[in-house]
Amino acid sequence: MARSKRSIDWGFPRWRGYEAGREAQSVRLCDRVGCEESGDCPAPKSPNSNERWYFCQTHAAEYNKGWDYFAGLSAEEAAARAADEQRDNAGFRESAHYGWTGSGDGSRSRDEINALDLLDLEYDVDFATIKKAWRAKAKEVHPDVKPGDDEAAKEFHKLQLAYEVLRAAEERRQWAGPTAR
């Protein structure tokens, strides 16, 4: 009688990953005709339907680009649905203390973007550039330079607020956590 061979992953350490098995893995293909990628991104077939398409990431992005979540709803129904979604999904919103990443990767808040727009700056600038632009604009409309000009005073106040928003955001990004004692 033929003697059975040992597998290569007997004992310890295993020579193959624990998730690896010998059986065939089932892969769901993308529902787009002719696509051979795995379809792991579900997308609804129609609004308010439980049926789903399963697309690859490329085709899911293409499908969702033209998707209208509020199709067929009146303005009041769309506003109610938007309010419900915002209320239900508020727990998934990114918290402010996760703003540790650098600029240019979607880490800017709406207030920061408005402040950068006021200073006529791109969204991925460093803080030294922000400070330089703020000083240049503030010197033009400072109340000491233009005394008695209410419009200049309002513009200076806006610039001050924009700088404070950006300075606070920069401090949050630079925060390294509590110091060890």
Side-chain angles (χ1 to χ4, degrees):
M1 180 189 243
R3 187 172 167 188
S4 63
K5 293 183 176 182
R6 278 191 181 163
S7 68
I8 63 167
D9 56 337
W10 62 274
F12 188 80
R14 286 178 59 104
W15 300 108
R16 185 174 44 185
Y18 285 105
E19 70 279 351
R22 293 178 183 222
E23 59 276 349
Q25 298 291 320
S26 61
V27 176
R28 181 183 201 116
L29 292 180
C30 179
D31 284 337
R32 179 62 60 96
V33 176
C35 183
E36 297 294 323
E37 300 291 321
S38 65
D40 50 1
C41 299
K45 288 187 176 182
S46 64
N48 303 319
S49 172
N50 291 332
E51 295 182 29
R52 301 278 188 247
W53 296 107
Y54 287 89
F55 293 124
C56 64
Q57 196 169 13
T58 305
H59 290 124
E62 180 183 311
Y63 179 78
N64 289 333
K65 182 172 59 174
W67 182 259
D68 184 8
Y69 187 68
F70 302 107
L73 298 178
S74 67
E76 295 83 25
E77 291 171 332
R81 177 179 280 178
D84 289 343
E85 288 292 321
Q86 188 171 11
R87 182 196 67 229
D88 294 345
N89 295 329
F92 296 106
R93 186 178 54 128
E94 186 174 344
S95 297
H97 64 274
Y98 288 121
W100 301 328
T101 57
S103 60
D105 58 355
S107 64
R108 297 265 188 211
S109 69
R110 184 85 220 122
D111 291 336
E112 290 175 75
I113 290 173
N114 290 339
L116 289 169
D117 286 341
L118 184 68
L119 294 172
D120 296 326
L121 294 173
E122 297 293 323
Y123 301 146
D124 60 347
V125 297
D126 61 339
F127 190 69
T129 309
I130 291 170
K131 194 171 187 178
K132 186 177 179 182
W134 168 74
R135 282 186 179 181
K137 285 191 174 275
K139 283 181 182 179
E140 295 172 4
V141 293
H142 195 277
D144 290 342
V145 175
K146 295 188 176 184
D149 189 357
D150 290 338
E151 288 298 316
K154 287 179 185 176
E155 184 66 24
F156 181 75
H157 185 66
K158 286 181 189 177
L159 291 170
Q160 266 311 104
L161 291 175
Y163 180 73
E164 288 300 317
V165 165
L166 294 168
R167 186 185 57 75
E170 182 66 19
E171 286 177 0
R172 281 194 307 270
R173 281 189 191 87
Q174 297 299 325
W175 185 71
T179 57
R181 294 184 187 231

